[in-house]
């Protein structure tokens, strides 16, 4: 990671780290599938919040590297209520969220068949109670920007997952992404 950030600084480019433990997600997905749990409602439980420490590990490493003068505070892309809480506690990060979690919750993805598949995204939609936290985070500037990856999938594409939630194209390509902005002058 250090070498990557050092090179990024020299080149003036952005480095994005995928902050999800893919091995744990894959193992839980296989366990759920073996139990016959194949519908869209199993996408969110296969990417449990309790596995986010891996993402925190990546961010903490980037903060240590940043402290050595290699880059500026990371931008937590597709940030959630947890990212906003961290920033409100004084953690030096920039937080971007995406729009869907402000308006819809995980019950939309729990609908049967294609109606649920339409709402499968990564990071997955979470409980409705997170919406109030997100709106408050915008009001208090704990979330810096709200954006999108412009990565839509039509119903025909979503139907690729009709036999398994693992095959449903997600609206956003990553569960937890941290971008570290590095410039030659950093």
């Amino acid at each position: 990671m250090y070498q990557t950030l050092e090179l990024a600084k020299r080149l003036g480019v952005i480095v994005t780290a995928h902050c999800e433990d893919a091995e744990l997600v894959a193992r839980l997905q296989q366990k759920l599938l073996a139990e016959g749990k194949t519908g869209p409602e199993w996408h969110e439980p296969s990417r449990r919040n309790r596995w986010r420490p891996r993402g925190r590990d990546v961010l903490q490493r980037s903060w240590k590297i940043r402290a050595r003068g290699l880059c500026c505070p990371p931008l937590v892309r597709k940030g959630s209520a947890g990212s906003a809480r961290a920033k409100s506690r004084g953690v030096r990060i920039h937080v971007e969220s995406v729009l869907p979690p402000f308006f819809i919750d995980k019950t939309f993805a729990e609908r049967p068949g294609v109606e649920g598949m339409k709402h499968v995204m990564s990071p997955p939609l979470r409980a409705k109670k997170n919406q109030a936290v997100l709106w408050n985070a915008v009001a208090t500037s704990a979330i810096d920007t709200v954006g999108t990856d412009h990565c839509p999938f039509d119903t025909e594409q979503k139907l690729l997952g009709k036999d398994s939630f693992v095959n449903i194209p997600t609206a956003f390509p990553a569960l937890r992404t941290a971008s570290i902005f590095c410039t030659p002058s950093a």
Side-chain angles (χ1 to χ4, degrees):
M1 186 175 203
Y2 183 87
Q3 290 172 329
T4 300
L5 291 174
E6 190 174 52
L7 177 62
K9 179 182 178 183
R10 284 199 318 262
L11 298 175
V13 299
I14 298 169
V15 176
T16 301
H18 188 326
C19 299
E20 149 176 74
D21 194 320
E23 180 183 352
L24 290 175
V25 170
R27 285 179 187 233
L28 184 53
Q29 287 175 337
Q30 292 309 308
K31 178 181 181 292
L32 292 168
L33 292 174
E35 294 171 357
K37 298 173 180 175
T38 61
E41 68 274 18
W42 297 104
H43 173 73
E44 189 266 345
S46 77
R47 295 167 179 266
R48 293 185 174 160
N49 280 335
R50 73 175 185 220
W51 290 342
R52 284 192 185 156
R54 181 69 174 256
R56 284 196 299 269
D57 291 346
V58 171
L59 285 174
Q60 286 172 354
R61 288 179 68 201
S62 73
W63 295 330
K64 288 177 184 175
I65 292 169
R66 182 195 162 278
R68 295 181 182 133
L70 277 181
C71 56
C72 60
L75 168 68
V76 179
R77 296 190 59 235
K78 298 170 199 80
S80 64
S83 304
R85 282 191 292 269
K87 184 175 180 181
S88 68
R89 289 191 313 268
V91 175
R92 292 195 61 206
I93 55 176
H94 300 290
V95 180
E96 172 199 55
S97 187
V98 291
L99 226 67
F102 284 84
F103 299 100
I104 59 178
D105 61 58
K106 69 180 191 165
T107 62
F108 284 75
E110 292 171 347
R111 295 173 178 173
V114 72
E115 286 306 309
M117 286 183 238
K118 289 178 184 177
H119 298 93
V120 169
M121 56 185 276
S122 291
L125 295 166
R126 301 292 184 188
K128 188 166 185 68
K129 68 182 180 182
N130 287 329
Q131 290 175 350
V133 176
L134 290 171
W135 282 108
N136 185 58
V138 169
T140 61
S141 298
I143 289 179
D144 299 290
T145 185
V146 178
T148 179
D149 281 340
H150 303 290
C151 186
F153 293 98
D154 63 26
T155 303
E156 186 176 326
Q157 291 168 312
K158 289 287 192 172
L159 285 170
L160 292 171
K162 67 182 180 340
D163 298 321
S164 169
F165 70 89
V166 174
N167 297 324
I168 300 171
T170 60
F172 302 101
L175 173 68
R176 198 54 79 210
T177 304
S179 296
I180 302 151
F181 287 93
C182 298
T183 62
S185 61

